[in-house]
Amino acid sequence: MKLTVFNGSPRGKKSNTTLLLEHVLKGFMETEGNSYELEYIVNKDVEELVEMFRNASNIILAFPLYTDCMPGIVKSFIDSLKPLCGKQDNPSIGFIVQGGFPEAYHSRFVEHYLEKLAKRLNCQYVGCIIKGGVETIRIMPQFMTKNIFSYFYELGKIYGKSGKFDEELLKKIAKPEHLSTLRRLFFRFASTVGMAHVYWNKQLKENNAFEERFDKPYIR
Protein backbone atom coordinates (compact mmCIF):
# COMPACT_ATOMS: atom_id res chain seq x y z
CA MET A 1 0.00 0.00 0.00
CA LYS A 2 1.21 3.51 -0.82
CA LEU A 3 0.25 6.10 1.77
CA THR A 4 0.43 9.89 1.73
CA VAL A 5 0.41 11.54 5.16
CA PHE A 6 -0.36 15.21 5.78
CA ASN A 7 0.70 16.58 9.17
CA GLY A 8 -1.43 19.67 9.86
CA SER A 9 0.19 20.83 13.09
CA PRO A 10 1.58 24.40 13.08
CA ARG A 11 4.44 23.03 15.22
CA GLY A 12 5.62 20.85 12.35
CA LYS A 13 8.22 18.21 13.19
CA LYS A 14 8.26 19.14 16.89
CA SER A 15 4.53 18.55 17.35
CA ASN A 16 2.62 15.99 19.36
CA THR A 17 0.88 15.06 16.11
CA THR A 18 4.28 14.00 14.77
CA LEU A 19 4.89 11.86 17.86
CA LEU A 20 1.62 9.96 17.43
CA LEU A 21 2.16 9.56 13.69
CA GLU A 22 5.55 7.96 14.32
CA HIS A 23 3.88 5.03 16.07
CA VAL A 24 1.12 4.68 13.47
CA LEU A 25 3.67 4.62 10.67
CA LYS A 26 5.89 2.09 12.46
CA GLY A 27 2.93 -0.26 12.57
CA PHE A 28 1.97 0.54 8.98
CA MET A 29 5.45 -0.38 7.73
CA GLU A 30 5.26 -3.84 9.32
CA THR A 31 3.49 -5.03 6.16
CA GLU A 32 5.94 -5.85 3.40
CA GLY A 33 5.60 -3.62 0.35
CA ASN A 34 4.03 -0.70 2.20
CA SER A 35 5.52 2.77 1.73
CA TYR A 36 4.60 6.29 2.74
CA GLU A 37 5.31 9.93 2.00
CA LEU A 38 5.03 12.41 4.86
CA GLU A 39 4.40 16.11 4.27
CA TYR A 40 4.07 18.98 6.75
CA ILE A 41 1.37 21.47 5.78
CA VAL A 42 2.91 24.40 7.63
CA ASN A 43 4.78 26.77 5.29
CA LYS A 44 4.05 24.50 2.32
CA ASP A 45 2.75 25.69 -1.04
CA VAL A 46 -0.98 24.90 -1.20
CA GLU A 47 -0.95 24.03 -4.89
CA GLU A 48 1.79 21.47 -4.25
CA LEU A 49 -0.26 19.93 -1.44
CA VAL A 50 -3.35 19.68 -3.65
CA GLU A 51 -1.28 17.98 -6.35
CA MET A 52 -0.02 15.47 -3.78
CA PHE A 53 -3.61 14.81 -2.73
CA ARG A 54 -4.68 14.40 -6.34
CA ASN A 55 -1.96 11.82 -7.06
CA ALA A 56 -2.32 9.84 -3.83
CA SER A 57 -3.92 6.41 -3.43
CA ASN A 58 -4.42 6.50 0.34
CA ILE A 59 -4.28 9.49 2.68
CA ILE A 60 -4.08 10.20 6.40
CA LEU A 61 -4.64 13.80 7.50
CA ALA A 62 -3.50 14.41 11.08
CA PHE A 63 -3.86 17.60 13.09
CA PRO A 64 -4.43 19.01 16.60
CA LEU A 65 -7.45 20.84 17.95
CA TYR A 66 -6.90 24.13 19.73
CA THR A 67 -9.87 24.75 22.04
CA ASP A 68 -12.01 22.57 19.78
CA CYS A 69 -10.87 24.30 16.55
CA MET A 70 -8.64 22.88 13.83
CA PRO A 71 -5.61 25.03 12.85
CA GLY A 72 -6.09 27.68 10.17
CA ILE A 73 -3.55 25.97 7.91
CA VAL A 74 -5.70 22.82 7.92
CA LYS A 75 -8.85 24.82 7.13
CA SER A 76 -7.03 26.48 4.25
CA PHE A 77 -5.80 23.12 2.95
CA ILE A 78 -9.29 21.64 3.07
CA ASP A 79 -10.72 24.68 1.25
CA SER A 80 -8.11 24.23 -1.48
CA LEU A 81 -9.42 20.72 -2.18
CA LYS A 82 -12.76 22.04 -3.50
CA PRO A 83 -11.83 21.41 -7.18
CA LEU A 84 -11.43 17.71 -6.33
CA CYS A 85 -14.94 17.28 -4.90
CA GLY A 86 -16.82 14.44 -6.54
CA LYS A 87 -13.93 13.10 -8.62
CA GLN A 88 -14.18 9.37 -9.25
CA ASP A 89 -10.54 8.49 -8.61
CA ASN A 90 -9.95 10.32 -5.33
CA PRO A 91 -7.93 8.45 -2.66
CA SER A 92 -9.20 6.78 0.48
CA ILE A 93 -8.84 8.99 3.53
CA GLY A 94 -8.50 8.64 7.29
CA PHE A 95 -7.93 11.22 9.99
CA ILE A 96 -6.07 11.63 13.27
CA VAL A 97 -7.41 14.33 15.59
CA GLN A 98 -5.65 15.01 18.87
CA GLY A 99 -6.21 17.69 21.48
CA GLY A 100 -5.36 18.86 24.97
CA PHE A 101 -8.75 18.32 26.57
CA PRO A 102 -8.84 14.75 27.95
CA GLU A 103 -12.40 13.90 26.87
CA ALA A 104 -13.02 12.47 23.38
CA TYR A 105 -16.39 14.24 23.42
CA HIS A 106 -14.69 17.53 22.48
CA SER A 107 -13.54 16.04 19.17
CA ARG A 108 -16.72 14.28 18.08
CA PHE A 109 -18.11 17.31 16.25
CA VAL A 110 -15.06 17.65 14.03
CA GLU A 111 -15.16 13.88 13.52
CA HIS A 112 -18.68 14.18 12.07
CA TYR A 113 -17.50 17.00 9.83
CA LEU A 114 -14.54 14.96 8.56
CA GLU A 115 -16.78 12.04 7.66
CA LYS A 116 -18.95 14.41 5.64
CA LEU A 117 -15.84 15.90 4.06
CA ALA A 118 -14.78 12.45 2.85
CA LYS A 119 -18.20 11.99 1.21
CA ARG A 120 -18.05 15.41 -0.47
CA LEU A 121 -14.62 14.58 -1.85
CA ASN A 122 -15.91 11.16 -2.94
CA CYS A 123 -13.13 9.54 -0.89
CA GLN A 124 -13.49 6.19 0.82
CA TYR A 125 -13.64 7.02 4.55
CA VAL A 126 -11.47 4.65 6.59
CA GLY A 127 -12.08 6.18 10.01
CA CYS A 128 -10.98 8.87 12.44
CA ILE A 129 -8.60 8.41 15.38
CA ILE A 130 -9.64 10.62 18.30
CA LYS A 131 -7.24 11.14 21.19
CA GLY A 132 -7.48 13.73 23.96
CA GLY A 133 -5.08 14.68 26.73
CA VAL A 134 -2.12 14.83 24.34
CA GLU A 135 -0.67 18.29 25.07
CA THR A 136 1.54 17.04 27.91
CA ILE A 137 2.36 13.65 26.38
CA ARG A 138 6.04 14.50 25.86
CA ILE A 139 6.61 15.06 29.57
CA MET A 140 4.61 12.05 30.78
CA PRO A 141 6.54 9.13 32.29
CA GLN A 142 6.81 6.03 30.11
CA PHE A 143 4.33 3.99 32.13
CA MET A 144 1.63 6.55 31.28
CA THR A 145 2.28 6.52 27.51
CA LYS A 146 3.10 2.85 26.93
CA ASN A 147 -0.48 1.76 26.22
CA ILE A 148 -1.25 4.86 24.13
CA PHE A 149 1.72 4.35 21.83
CA SER A 150 1.03 0.61 21.65
CA TYR A 151 -2.55 1.24 20.51
CA PHE A 152 -1.39 3.66 17.82
CA TYR A 153 1.20 1.15 16.62
CA GLU A 154 -1.36 -1.68 16.45
CA LEU A 155 -3.86 0.52 14.67
CA GLY A 156 -1.23 1.43 12.07
CA LYS A 157 -0.30 -2.22 11.67
CA ILE A 158 -3.91 -3.27 11.04
CA TYR A 159 -4.44 -0.32 8.70
CA GLY A 160 -1.35 -1.33 6.74
CA LYS A 161 -2.91 -4.74 6.10
CA SER A 162 -6.62 -3.91 5.73
CA GLY A 163 -6.73 -0.28 4.61
CA LYS A 164 -9.13 0.56 7.46
CA PHE A 165 -8.93 1.70 11.07
CA ASP A 166 -9.92 -0.96 13.58
CA GLU A 167 -13.14 0.07 15.35
CA GLU A 168 -12.30 -1.58 18.68
CA LEU A 169 -8.92 0.12 18.83
CA LEU A 170 -10.52 3.46 17.99
CA LYS A 171 -12.75 3.05 21.05
CA LYS A 172 -9.81 2.19 23.31
CA ILE A 173 -7.72 5.11 22.06
CA ALA A 174 -10.56 7.61 22.51
CA LYS A 175 -11.22 6.89 26.20
CA PRO A 176 -12.40 8.67 28.27
CA GLU A 177 -15.42 9.87 26.33
CA HIS A 178 -16.44 12.04 29.31
CA LEU A 179 -14.65 12.90 32.55
CA SER A 180 -15.68 10.96 35.63
CA THR A 181 -17.13 12.86 38.57
CA LEU A 182 -13.89 12.32 40.51
CA ARG A 183 -11.73 13.77 37.72
CA ARG A 184 -14.05 16.76 37.32
CA LEU A 185 -13.70 17.47 41.04
CA PHE A 186 -9.92 17.16 40.80
CA PHE A 187 -9.69 19.59 37.88
CA ARG A 188 -11.96 22.04 39.70
CA PHE A 189 -9.69 21.84 42.75
CA ALA A 190 -6.52 22.16 40.63
CA SER A 191 -7.94 25.23 38.91
CA THR A 192 -8.90 26.83 42.21
CA VAL A 193 -5.42 26.45 43.75
CA GLY A 194 -3.60 27.33 40.53
CA MET A 195 -2.17 23.88 39.75
CA ALA A 196 -4.04 23.70 36.45
CA HIS A 197 -2.31 26.82 35.16
CA VAL A 198 1.33 25.89 35.80
CA TYR A 199 1.95 24.17 32.45
CA TRP A 200 0.01 26.73 30.41
CA ASN A 201 1.72 29.67 32.11
CA LYS A 202 5.05 28.07 31.22
CA GLN A 203 3.95 27.84 27.57
CA LEU A 204 2.83 31.47 27.59
CA LYS A 205 6.14 32.64 29.00
CA GLU A 206 8.15 30.63 26.47
CA ASN A 207 6.16 32.29 23.68
CA ASN A 208 6.39 35.80 25.18
CA ALA A 209 2.62 35.96 25.68
CA PHE A 210 2.30 35.74 29.46
CA GLU A 211 1.75 39.46 30.05
CA GLU A 212 -1.01 39.55 27.42
CA ARG A 213 -2.88 36.45 28.67
CA PHE A 214 -5.91 38.45 29.81
CA ASP A 215 -6.08 40.79 26.80
CA LYS A 216 -9.44 41.12 25.04
CA PRO A 217 -8.56 42.64 21.65
CA TYR A 218 -12.03 42.19 20.15
CA ILE A 219 -13.93 43.97 22.92
CA ARG A 220 -14.54 47.64 22.15
Side-chain angles (χ1 to χ4, degrees):
M1 182 193 302
K2 291 184 178 180
L3 174 64
T4 301
V5 182
F6 294 102
N7 185 330
S9 174
R11 295 175 179 174
K13 295 181 180 180
K14 297 181 179 180
S15 65
N16 293 320
T17 302
T18 296
L19 184 60
L20 297 180
L21 275 173
E22 285 177 2
H23 295 278
V24 172
L25 294 174
K26 281 180 183 178
F28 174 79
M29 292 301 292
E30 284 294 312
T31 299
E32 187 176 353
N34 281 358
S35 63
Y36 69 88
E37 181 179 6
L38 173 60
E39 192 57 74
Y40 296 88
I41 293 177
V42 64
N43 298 325
K44 193 71 178 182
D45 181 72
V46 174
E47 291 184 5
E48 187 175 343
L49 293 171
V50 173
E51 192 63 22
M52 287 181 63
F53 192 103
R54 190 194 311 272
N55 296 326
S57 300
N58 305 279
I59 284 175
I60 289 179
L61 171 59
F63 59 88
L65 290 187
Y66 298 130
T67 316
D68 299 340
C69 293
M70 67 174 67
I73 57 173
V74 176
K75 293 180 182 179
S76 179
F77 173 54
I78 289 173
D79 287 345
S80 70
L81 299 176
K82 185 177 180 180
L84 303 182
C85 285
K87 282 190 62 185
Q88 294 303 309
D89 56 348
N90 277 340
S92 70
I93 190 167
F95 303 92
I96 300 176
V97 179
Q98 60 91 0
F101 293 130
E103 315 100 307
Y105 177 78
H106 285 276
S107 302
R108 293 303 181 190
F109 301 99
V110 73
E111 179 187 23
H112 296 325
Y113 163 75
L114 294 172
E115 187 171 1
K116 288 184 178 180
L117 173 65
K119 291 180 181 178
R120 290 168 182 166
L121 288 168
N122 198 33
C123 293
Q124 179 190 357
Y125 177 69
V126 303
C128 183
I129 305 172
I130 299 294
K131 184 57 189 171
V134 176
E135 178 57 33
T136 57
I137 199 168
R138 290 183 179 274
I139 61 174
M140 290 180 185
Q142 187 177 3
F143 76 89
M144 293 182 66
T145 59
K146 183 179 179 180
N147 285 343
I148 297 171
F149 293 154
S150 176
Y151 288 153
F152 274 85
Y153 171 83
E154 285 298 324
L155 194 140
K157 186 175 180 179
I158 293 172
Y159 171 70
K161 293 179 179 179
S162 67
K164 292 184 178 180
F165 292 161
D166 182 84
E167 290 293 334
E168 291 304 312
L169 276 174
L170 290 180
K171 293 176 183 177
K172 290 179 180 180
I173 290 172
K175 290 182 179 179
E177 189 68 26
H178 300 276
L179 287 183
S180 65
T181 300
L182 184 61
R183 290 191 70 180
R184 289 201 301 271
L185 290 172
F186 171 78
F187 279 119
R188 187 176 299 173
F189 169 77
S191 180
T192 300
V193 300
M195 291 169 54
H197 307 303
V198 173
Y199 175 80
W200 298 111
N201 286 343
K202 181 175 179 291
Q203 294 292 306
L204 288 167
K205 290 176 182 178
E206 288 178 356
N207 289 278
N208 299 317
F210 183 76
E211 299 301 329
E212 292 81 30
R213 66 192 184 281
F214 298 122
D215 285 4
K216 301 176 181 179
Y218 298 108
I219 294 180
R220 296 180 179 178

